[in-house]
Amino acid sequence: MLKSKTFLKKTRAGGVMKIVREHYLRDDIGCGAPGCAACDGAHEGPVLEPQPLDPASSLCPRPHYLLPDTNVLLHQIDVLEDPAIRNVIVLQTVLQEVRNRSAPVYKRIRDVTNNQEKHFYTFTNEHHRETYVEQEQGENANDRNDRAIRVAAKWYNEHLKKISAENHLQVIFITNDKKNKEKAIEEGIPAFTCEEYVKSLTANPELIDRLACLSEEGNEIESGRIIFSEHLPLSKLQQGIKSGTYLQGTFRASRENYLEATVWVHGDTEDDKEIILQGLKNLNRAVHEDIVAVELLPKNQWVAPSSVVLHDEGQNEDDVEKEEERERILKTAANEKMLKPTGRVVGIIKRNWRPYCGMLSKSDIKESRRHLFTPADRRIPRIRIETRQASALEGRRIIVAIDGWPRNSRYPNGHFVKNLGDVGDKETETEVLLLEHDVPHQPFSQAVLSFLPKMPWSITEKDMKNREDLRHLCVCSVDPPGCTDIDDALHCRELENGNLEVGVHIADVSHFIRPGNALDQESARRGTTVYLCEKRIDMVPELLSSNLCSLRCNVDRLAFSCIWEMNHNAEILKVRFTKSAINSKASLTYAEAQMRIDSAAMNDEITTSLRGLNKLAKILKKRRIEKGALTLSSPEVRFHMDSETHDPIDLQTKELRETNSMVEEFMLLANISVAKKIHEEFSEHALLRKHPAPPPSNYEILVKAAKSKNLEIKTDTAKSLADSLDRADSPTFPYLNTLLRILATRCMMQAVYFCSGMDNDFHHYGLASPIYTHFTSPIRRYADIIVHRLLAVAIGADCTYPELTDKHKLADLCKNLNFRHKMAQYAQRASVAFHTQLFFKSKGIVSEEAYILFVRKNAIVVLIPKYGLEGTVFFEEKDKPKPRLIYDDEIPSLKIEDTVFHIFDKVKVKIMLDSSNLQHQKIRMSLVEPQIPGISISADTPNMDIDEPERKKKKREK
């Protein structure tokens, strides 16, 4: 049966177009119940159980299926994902509405419907002759959809009677809409709210905790005091943004101070890009990463960014007076220059809430069901949840979702989602840091794995088409120890004309990952491999990353080669790119390669090749530095693990050898050569990487710090910065230059991927290169796969596809890649921090020399060179007399009693693990030297303030 709608539409050119939309109605759509004679097995995919053996419900004891409406699916997805909930009918109407309203929930519901064990059935009610409904005159789309859902529920109940009258199978309609529920009951449909149904499942009381609390009336604070101003409706916000009264931007909460945030204004204007918000009322219930509308305050109310470190650790959850007192601390006198545009949140344009990992702070009130949850991410406010299993959840990592934030509540309301495991457990903490940094880490699905080549694999004649055979060359790879995903290999040989041929050979991952298939989509979503201290989260399945794509020695592998002809002064005479087949003759570590180069006894082909490469690399590096490339520093650490317990037993800063630099030089050269080639060929849609020059204000701290040591740092160009860093030496203080380079690194902007057709500034500031891309690590970076595809098309080795030449699609891809790379970096740092804690847990208390990197109003941030470890020494502590602190932002310096601290001053600190806060166990540092009465502690006395968690104390007492 065919229904058609005809309507007229005005075109851009001013003409009128007649549109006919056809809608087919069918009789052969199955109901999803097995054994239904009427449907005659017309269902596809997962189906419902013939006899639902779901947990007994006190409201509906008969066997039943559930049919939720759109809002239940949107807000109660955590309940529906629980293993206890099975046999659910998901209507097409509901699915379409969810898709339009929330992409993350839509993805989750698709995953649940694909899970055979859950027995979720998608019923195409919009195309079923008996369940399709037309929109009536005067009826809005929402009411029509509600009616369509009720019609489907009624049809199901009547239809199921035909299967077996004695079976008493029922379909229960689940809705939180009062009117919809009343109408359903009037029409004879069994209907309950989600809460009523979940509470009726007496065998599963834990499900109640997963209910999203939606009604704000029930969760009002007893005092009923209004704390926050009302959020303006979206229509008013849009008008205000259009007229310029309000500004739209992304809300970024502060990690260091819960009463302060910034809003990054969307738009192209460079000035006033950042607006400061201070105080609870001005933050007005915005949560980190929300898109908000802000109103600028008058200039006389502008403030300076606060240098105070404030964490929300109060026990009395609604003590607003205390918050106001803390806000006054922030408003210290600041000179005119320091004041920044300041505003307040007037409304929320888009919430960007996600499930949060953290811990329960159990209420002191006995038998209380309401508790505060403290997220692991300090930028997220604490969340009030209701749970009956508080005692079981204490000391465990859990996931909680936010449901809403009423005006009269100091904290948002939420619900319990999942128990991850014990705090401090290595597996649990790794899971937390992956979830918190949004790192996709689920095992690869069958759909993805189905696109891998069948084993055993070997190079075929077809593979060699458009490919050079370079298996005769003496190619070798140089990598860190234990590396199994070998992306790159090198060779160097002398040509008959006296010149040198140098080749960089990169794993040909794009040969195995074809555009658009499930493997390609998953790799693009992951964006990068994430390296944690003891774990690698691969971007591509292991068969590729550690086997077929890895350029291991003595096996034939497919590669993409960049081959230069150079003279002995490392000047490029010719460059060519080719797909190739290679056979690496050696897989060396940096130390092994260095040993070969240095050993006079070794003169074999591999060693000769390495010496040639090393000689050229030194010339290339010198030339690069002369152009203004920066050699910056950041302390990298390496853990030595116990072979059985896998706990860190030693912590050292990584040693860099000449061979590290040798490999790096040729990778940079290959990346630059490829960038030029793909931009030449695809001026509008080359995927490139740029590093913007930092704004002068970024360098203020570096210039001031150098000045305090009577050194001058020039920052007008990268070249002048590089030169002044080279000159900044102190014979009495050899480590000073490293410290300056570490500080200079902190002044830098983030390097980003971009599409050449969407930008006109290509310059890479750090490398002093006019153009740059990533080509050399396709096993671990998706950007390199795209670059390989562009280069393959440029040299005629592969064919193009539409997305490759769509600059808007490429720009979206770059946005995801930049996000994934940033999150991977943060996850890696979090992993190092966790393993550092484990190290000091077993090491006990140690005292070490440190250098000051930053001075704050009430603290100093120090770096301990021995461990490459950074930490904060606080000078104001709870329940202790406050010392006399004088902070000078100009120098910068901090005077404590009669001792003055400057950046780069040498101090001695005591390092210990502070376990008093189980949630945020941290490395705590206390000052040992210089001696300041009442502040410094002696190196050999244990600090009695570092409380272990209560339960550990009790165990010891036993």
PDB file of all heavy atoms in Angstrom, residues 798-815:
ATOM      1  N   ASP A 798      47.452   4.479  -6.486  1.00  0.00           N
ATOM      2  CA  ASP A 798      46.146   4.066  -5.952  1.00  0.00           C
ATOM      3  C   ASP A 798      45.093   5.037  -6.478  1.00  0.00           C
ATOM      4  O   ASP A 798      45.410   6.120  -6.972  1.00  0.00           O
ATOM      5  CB  ASP A 798      46.173   4.083  -4.411  1.00  0.00           C
ATOM      6  CG  ASP A 798      45.169   3.091  -3.805  1.00  0.00           C
ATOM      7  OD1 ASP A 798      44.249   2.674  -4.535  1.00  0.00           O
ATOM      8  OD2 ASP A 798      45.300   2.763  -2.611  1.00  0.00           O
ATOM      9  N   CYS A 799      43.825   4.632  -6.345  1.00  0.00           N
ATOM     10  CA  CYS A 799      42.767   5.514  -6.866  1.00  0.00           C
ATOM     11  C   CYS A 799      42.164   6.342  -5.723  1.00  0.00           C
ATOM     12  O   CYS A 799      42.231   5.968  -4.561  1.00  0.00           O
ATOM     13  CB  CYS A 799      41.681   4.704  -7.567  1.00  0.00           C
ATOM     14  SG  CYS A 799      41.148   3.315  -6.577  1.00  0.00           S
ATOM     15  N   THR A 800      41.567   7.455  -6.080  1.00  0.00           N
ATOM     16  CA  THR A 800      40.985   8.363  -5.089  1.00  0.00           C
ATOM     17  C   THR A 800      39.562   7.917  -4.729  1.00  0.00           C
ATOM     18  O   THR A 800      39.043   6.973  -5.320  1.00  0.00           O
ATOM     19  CB  THR A 800      41.008   9.811  -5.607  1.00  0.00           C
ATOM     20  OG1 THR A 800      40.547  10.676  -4.567  1.00  0.00           O
ATOM     21  CG2 THR A 800      40.136   9.981  -6.834  1.00  0.00           C
ATOM     22  N   TYR A 801      38.958   8.594  -3.776  1.00  0.00           N
ATOM     23  CA  TYR A 801      37.552   8.335  -3.401  1.00  0.00           C
ATOM     24  C   TYR A 801      36.968   9.668  -2.913  1.00  0.00           C
ATOM     25  O   TYR A 801      37.714  10.577  -2.515  1.00  0.00           O
ATOM     26  CB  TYR A 801      37.459   7.230  -2.337  1.00  0.00           C
ATOM     27  CG  TYR A 801      38.202   7.494  -1.061  1.00  0.00           C
ATOM     28  CD1 TYR A 801      37.545   7.964   0.078  1.00  0.00           C
ATOM     29  CD2 TYR A 801      39.580   7.282  -0.967  1.00  0.00           C
ATOM     30  CE1 TYR A 801      38.231   8.209   1.262  1.00  0.00           C
ATOM     31  CE2 TYR A 801      40.270   7.527   0.214  1.00  0.00           C
ATOM     32  CZ  TYR A 801      39.591   7.992   1.324  1.00  0.00           C
ATOM     33  OH  TYR A 801      40.272   8.240   2.486  1.00  0.00           O
ATOM     34  N   PRO A 802      35.619   9.840  -2.962  1.00  0.00           N
ATOM     35  CA  PRO A 802      35.017  11.171  -2.746  1.00  0.00           C
ATOM     36  C   PRO A 802      35.450  11.875  -1.454  1.00  0.00           C
ATOM     37  O   PRO A 802      35.783  13.060  -1.470  1.00  0.00           O
ATOM     38  CB  PRO A 802      33.506  10.897  -2.728  1.00  0.00           C
ATOM     39  CG  PRO A 802      33.344   9.611  -3.467  1.00  0.00           C
ATOM     40  CD  PRO A 802      34.588   8.830  -3.256  1.00  0.00           C
ATOM     41  N   GLU A 803      35.484  11.153  -0.313  1.00  0.00           N
ATOM     42  CA  GLU A 803      35.799  11.811   0.967  1.00  0.00           C
ATOM     43  C   GLU A 803      37.213  12.393   0.997  1.00  0.00           C
ATOM     44  O   GLU A 803      37.484  13.341   1.714  1.00  0.00           O
ATOM     45  CB  GLU A 803      35.669  10.819   2.146  1.00  0.00           C
ATOM     46  CG  GLU A 803      34.247  10.561   2.591  1.00  0.00           C
ATOM     47  CD  GLU A 803      33.522   9.574   1.669  1.00  0.00           C
ATOM     48  OE1 GLU A 803      34.187   8.947   0.811  1.00  0.00           O
ATOM     49  OE2 GLU A 803      32.304   9.440   1.823  1.00  0.00           O
ATOM     50  N   LEU A 804      38.110  11.798   0.196  1.00  0.00           N
ATOM     51  CA  LEU A 804      39.507  12.231   0.210  1.00  0.00           C
ATOM     52  C   LEU A 804      39.653  13.642  -0.362  1.00  0.00           C
ATOM     53  O   LEU A 804      40.575  14.369  -0.010  1.00  0.00           O
ATOM     54  CB  LEU A 804      40.364  11.232  -0.588  1.00  0.00           C
ATOM     55  CG  LEU A 804      41.871  11.301  -0.378  1.00  0.00           C
ATOM     56  CD1 LEU A 804      42.241  10.967   1.055  1.00  0.00           C
ATOM     57  CD2 LEU A 804      42.608  10.367  -1.324  1.00  0.00           C
ATOM     58  N   THR A 805      38.733  13.992  -1.239  1.00  0.00           N
ATOM     59  CA  THR A 805      38.832  15.319  -1.878  1.00  0.00           C
ATOM     60  C   THR A 805      37.671  16.226  -1.451  1.00  0.00           C
ATOM     61  O   THR A 805      37.260  17.110  -2.190  1.00  0.00           O
ATOM     62  CB  THR A 805      38.879  15.167  -3.412  1.00  0.00           C
ATOM     63  OG1 THR A 805      37.782  14.345  -3.806  1.00  0.00           O
ATOM     64  CG2 THR A 805      40.177  14.532  -3.863  1.00  0.00           C
ATOM     65  N   ASP A 806      37.144  15.994  -0.262  1.00  0.00           N
ATOM     66  CA  ASP A 806      36.087  16.845   0.291  1.00  0.00           C
ATOM     67  C   ASP A 806      36.685  17.578   1.491  1.00  0.00           C
ATOM     68  O   ASP A 806      36.906  16.989   2.552  1.00  0.00           O
ATOM     69  CB  ASP A 806      34.898  15.968   0.735  1.00  0.00           C
ATOM     70  CG  ASP A 806      33.743  16.783   1.296  1.00  0.00           C
ATOM     71  OD1 ASP A 806      34.008  17.878   1.846  1.00  0.00           O
ATOM     72  OD2 ASP A 806      32.590  16.322   1.217  1.00  0.00           O
ATOM     73  N   LYS A 807      36.968  18.880   1.294  1.00  0.00           N
ATOM     74  CA  LYS A 807      37.729  19.576   2.351  1.00  0.00           C
ATOM     75  C   LYS A 807      36.937  19.727   3.647  1.00  0.00           C
ATOM     76  O   LYS A 807      37.510  19.771   4.737  1.00  0.00           O
ATOM     77  CB  LYS A 807      38.249  20.925   1.848  1.00  0.00           C
ATOM     78  CG  LYS A 807      37.226  21.944   1.429  1.00  0.00           C
ATOM     79  CD  LYS A 807      37.946  23.183   0.912  1.00  0.00           C
ATOM     80  CE  LYS A 807      36.952  24.275   0.543  1.00  0.00           C
ATOM     81  NZ  LYS A 807      37.630  25.463   0.019  1.00  0.00           N
ATOM     82  N   HIS A 808      35.603  19.751   3.549  1.00  0.00           N
ATOM     83  CA  HIS A 808      34.791  19.880   4.775  1.00  0.00           C
ATOM     84  C   HIS A 808      34.849  18.579   5.587  1.00  0.00           C
ATOM     85  O   HIS A 808      34.948  18.598   6.812  1.00  0.00           O
ATOM     86  CB  HIS A 808      33.344  20.245   4.432  1.00  0.00           C
ATOM     87  CG  HIS A 808      33.250  21.589   3.762  1.00  0.00           C
ATOM     88  ND1 HIS A 808      33.397  22.749   4.467  1.00  0.00           N
ATOM     89  CD2 HIS A 808      33.073  21.932   2.455  1.00  0.00           C
ATOM     90  CE1 HIS A 808      33.299  23.786   3.629  1.00  0.00           C
ATOM     91  NE2 HIS A 808      33.112  23.302   2.406  1.00  0.00           N
ATOM     92  N   LYS A 809      34.808  17.445   4.859  1.00  0.00           N
ATOM     93  CA  LYS A 809      34.914  16.149   5.543  1.00  0.00           C
ATOM     94  C   LYS A 809      36.303  16.004   6.184  1.00  0.00           C
ATOM     95  O   LYS A 809      36.446  15.501   7.288  1.00  0.00           O
ATOM     96  CB  LYS A 809      34.692  15.003   4.546  1.00  0.00           C
ATOM     97  CG  LYS A 809      33.231  14.870   4.074  1.00  0.00           C
ATOM     98  CD  LYS A 809      32.634  13.539   4.523  1.00  0.00           C
ATOM     99  CE  LYS A 809      31.130  13.468   4.277  1.00  0.00           C
ATOM    100  NZ  LYS A 809      30.797  13.208   2.877  1.00  0.00           N
ATOM    101  N   LEU A 810      37.333  16.461   5.450  1.00  0.00           N
ATOM    102  CA  LEU A 810      38.703  16.388   5.980  1.00  0.00           C
ATOM    103  C   LEU A 810      38.849  17.279   7.210  1.00  0.00           C
ATOM    104  O   LEU A 810      39.512  16.907   8.177  1.00  0.00           O
ATOM    105  CB  LEU A 810      39.723  16.810   4.917  1.00  0.00           C
ATOM    106  CG  LEU A 810      40.314  15.701   4.049  1.00  0.00           C
ATOM    107  CD1 LEU A 810      41.279  16.274   3.041  1.00  0.00           C
ATOM    108  CD2 LEU A 810      41.043  14.657   4.883  1.00  0.00           C
ATOM    109  N   ALA A 811      38.208  18.460   7.174  1.00  0.00           N
ATOM    110  CA  ALA A 811      38.288  19.375   8.319  1.00  0.00           C
ATOM    111  C   ALA A 811      37.647  18.747   9.549  1.00  0.00           C
ATOM    112  O   ALA A 811      38.165  18.850  10.669  1.00  0.00           O
ATOM    113  CB  ALA A 811      37.614  20.707   7.979  1.00  0.00           C
ATOM    114  N   ASP A 812      36.514  18.042   9.360  1.00  0.00           N
ATOM    115  CA  ASP A 812      35.848  17.348  10.480  1.00  0.00           C
ATOM    116  C   ASP A 812      36.740  16.234  11.024  1.00  0.00           C
ATOM    117  O   ASP A 812      36.826  16.018  12.228  1.00  0.00           O
ATOM    118  CB  ASP A 812      34.502  16.750  10.023  1.00  0.00           C
ATOM    119  CG  ASP A 812      33.444  17.819   9.836  1.00  0.00           C
ATOM    120  OD1 ASP A 812      33.647  18.938  10.356  1.00  0.00           O
ATOM    121  OD2 ASP A 812      32.428  17.550   9.165  1.00  0.00           O
ATOM    122  N   LEU A 813      37.392  15.524  10.090  1.00  0.00           N
ATOM    123  CA  LEU A 813      38.294  14.440  10.494  1.00  0.00           C
ATOM    124  C   LEU A 813      39.444  15.005  11.329  1.00  0.00           C
ATOM    125  O   LEU A 813      39.791  14.455  12.383  1.00  0.00           O
ATOM    126  CB  LEU A 813      38.837  13.729   9.243  1.00  0.00           C
ATOM    127  CG  LEU A 813      39.856  12.618   9.492  1.00  0.00           C
ATOM    128  CD1 LEU A 813      39.193  11.419  10.148  1.00  0.00           C
ATOM    129  CD2 LEU A 813      40.516  12.180   8.199  1.00  0.00           C
ATOM    130  N   CYS A 814      39.996  16.138  10.884  1.00  0.00           N
ATOM    131  CA  CYS A 814      41.108  16.779  11.610  1.00  0.00           C
ATOM    132  C   CYS A 814      40.678  17.164  13.024  1.00  0.00           C
ATOM    133  O   CYS A 814      41.449  17.023  13.976  1.00  0.00           O
ATOM    134  CB  CYS A 814      41.594  18.032  10.879  1.00  0.00           C
ATOM    135  SG  CYS A 814      42.487  17.642   9.370  1.00  0.00           S
ATOM    136  N   LYS A 815      39.438  17.633  13.140  1.00  0.00           N
ATOM    137  CA  LYS A 815      38.919  18.038  14.451  1.00  0.00           C
ATOM    138  C   LYS A 815      38.929  16.834  15.411  1.00  0.00           C
ATOM    139  O   LYS A 815      39.371  16.932  16.556  1.00  0.00           O
ATOM    140  CB  LYS A 815      37.489  18.574  14.266  1.00  0.00           C
ATOM    141  CG  LYS A 815      36.982  19.370  15.446  1.00  0.00           C
ATOM    142  CD  LYS A 815      35.611  19.947  15.117  1.00  0.00           C
ATOM    143  CE  LYS A 815      34.938  20.471  16.372  1.00  0.00           C
ATOM    144  NZ  LYS A 815      33.548  20.887  16.112  1.00  0.00           N
TER     145      LYS A 815
END
